[in-house]
């Protein structure tokens, strides 16, 4: 948000309904997904959605804040 982006988060169904995932993905310009905290089936669902709606998908190796910040700065450039 400090670099002018809106941050939309979904926790994969822990507290957020899985039904909200499509709604949130539809609002996204691109999707960042950490590989170390997502199921294989969830990543496949997100991949299919991104392909269908032509959304850029970026996988992070970890869910660490520094990985996310680095990727956001890359996207803002």
């Amino acid at each position: 948000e400090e670099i002018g982006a809106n941050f939309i988060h979904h926790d994969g169904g822990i507290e957020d309904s899985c039904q909200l995932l499509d709604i949130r993905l539809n609002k996204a310009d691109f999707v960042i997904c950490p590989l170390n905290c997502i199921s294989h089936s969830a990543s496949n669902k997100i991949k299919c959605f991104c392909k269908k709606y032509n959304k850029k998908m970026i996988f992070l190796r970890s869910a660490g804040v520094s990985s996310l910040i680095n990727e956001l700065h890359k996207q803002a450039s």
Side-chain angles (χ1 to χ4, degrees):
E1 293 172 338
E2 292 176 10
I3 60 173
N6 291 320
F7 182 72
I8 302 169
H9 172 265
H10 191 278
D11 67 7
I14 297 169
E15 291 183 18
D16 295 328
S17 166
C18 287
Q19 295 165 342
L20 291 176
L21 184 58
D22 287 350
I23 294 167
R24 291 187 181 166
L25 287 173
N26 200 27
K27 292 180 181 180
D29 293 321
F30 59 91
V31 177
I32 298 176
C33 187
L35 289 173
N36 68 335
C37 63
I38 186 170
S39 71
H40 187 70
S41 62
S43 67
N44 283 339
K45 180 178 181 177
I46 294 168
K47 280 183 201 178
C48 289
F49 182 91
C50 288
K51 185 176 181 179
K52 181 178 178 180
Y53 293 102
N54 199 28
K55 303 281 184 178
K56 183 176 183 178
M57 179 151 190
I58 302 156
F59 286 106
L60 299 178
R61 291 183 184 198
S62 75
V65 174
S66 60
S67 295
L68 177 61
I69 290 170
N70 288 336
E71 190 58 48
L72 290 173
H73 282 291
K74 284 183 198 176
Q75 296 304 312
S77 304

